[in-house]
Amino acid sequence: MSALREDIAELVAQEGPITLERYMTLALSHPTKGYYMTRDPFGASGDFITAPEISQMFGELVGLWAQEAWRAAGSPAPLRLVELGPGRGTLMSDALRVARIAPDFLSALDVHLVETSPLLEARQRQTLAAAEAPVSWSANVSQVPDGPAIVIANEFFDALPVRHFVQTERGWSERLVGLDESGALAFGVGERIEADLTVAAPEGSIIEIGAIGARIMRDIAARLVAQGGAMLVVDYGYTQTALGETLQAVAHHAYVDPLEAPGEADLTSHVDFAALARAATAAGAKVLGPTTQGDFLKQLGVIERADALKKRATPEQRGEIDVALERLTGAGDPKRNMGELFKVIAVTHPDMPPLPGFFQ
Ligand code: SAH
C-alpha cells in the first residue's frame, strides 16, 4: 500500500468520504507524498513522455507562435511570457533559443513559470540556468505581475483534478471516494442531489467536470481581456462536451486502478475543450480553434523545420527526426501519435487578429 493511500484511508475513516477532486488534489499535490512532488515523471524512463521531450521542434514552434502573437498584440514591452506546469522546462528553453532570432522580442521578455512542485521547479532552474531573459517562479498564475501576457499551457489542464457526478434514481449526485468493508478505498456517491445539473441521462451515467481548470481559464481570459495578450492550450481531449468519464491512472507507461496507489501513479483526464472555450468566452475573450496538434504544427512549418534539421544531421539522427515528426503530427494510433488526439486552442484579447496555426 502506498504511504499516501494509508493517509487518505485514515482521513476518510475520520471525516467521511471525500470528493474525487479532493482525492486527486491529494494524490497529485500532497506537499510531501503527491505524485508531482516526489518525482520527475517525464522522459523514456518515466511514466510518460510529452511533446517538448519528444523533439526540440515543438518548443521552437511554440516559441515562434509566441513571437507572432506578441507582434499581433502591438509588440508590448515588457511582455510576461508565462508557462503553466512547465515540467522539465524544455519547452521554454527551446522557445527562448528561437527568440534569439528576434532580439526585440527577446529583450521584451519577462518569463514566469507557474509550478507547484518544488522538485520540478529545481529541474526547471537547471534547464533554464543560461536563459537570456529574466525568469521567475510562482505557484499560482495570480502572482504573475500585471501587463500584456502570452500564456502557454502544454499538458497542464489534463493534470488538474476533476469532479464526477453520477446519475442516481433521485438525480445527479457527486462521486466520492470512501472505504469498502475491507477498508480499501472505493468509489461511492454522496447523499446530496445536485439540483443545478439537469442533463437527462440513464441511471449510472457519469458527467466529468473540470471545475478547477475552468476557473483558471476564466481568470486568465479575464486578465487577457483587461491587459492584452494571448494564451495557447495544447492537450489531449475532446471538442464537444459529452457524457462519460475519462479519468486515467498511469504508472511506468501502464494503466492502473486510480484508487490503487495515490501518489505513485499519474492521474489525468481528457480535457473538455468546449468547456474551456465557454469559460474563456464568458470572460469576454476570443477563442481560436480547436484545431489538431498535427494541423497546428504543420501550419507553423514543422515539416520545413524537420527538413532543415535533417540537412545538418547524421543518417541516424535523420531517422530520429522522422520518428519524432510522425509522433508529433501523425494521425491514428493515439497511443503513439499525438497529431489527432491532441487539440489546440488559443484564447486572445477580442481585438487580436487571427494567429498562425488557426488560419482556415
Ligand atoms: N508542460 C510540461 C509538463 C506537463 S505535466 C510538458 O509538456 O512536458 C504537468 C505539469 O503541471 C507538471 O510540471 C506539474 O508539476 C504541473 N502542475 C500540476 N498541477 C499544477 C497546478 N495546480 N499549478 C501549477 N502547476 C501544476
Side-chain angles (χ1 to χ4, degrees), residues 306 309-323:
L309 286 174
K310 280 182 351 193
K311 287 211 177 81
R312 290 181 264 129
T314 63
E316 193 191 339
Q317 288 168 333
R318 278 202 284 278
E320 286 165 11
I321 292 166
D322 283 333
V323 169

Side-chain angles (χ1 to χ4, degrees), residues 227-247:
Q227 302 175 31
M231 177 179 193
L232 187 72
V233 179
V234 185
D235 224 312
Y236 47 95
Y238 47 100
T239 58
Q240 300 290 327
T241 301
L243 282 176
E245 58 111 350
T246 67
L247 177 67

Side-chain angles (χ1 to χ4, degrees), residues 36 42 50 52 83 85-87 114-117 120 139 154-156 159-160:
Y36 283 111
F42 308 101
T50 57
E83 187 179 356
V114 178
E115 176 58 68
T116 45
S117 161
L120 288 173
N154 183 61
E155 289 208 39
F156 170 74
L160 298 176

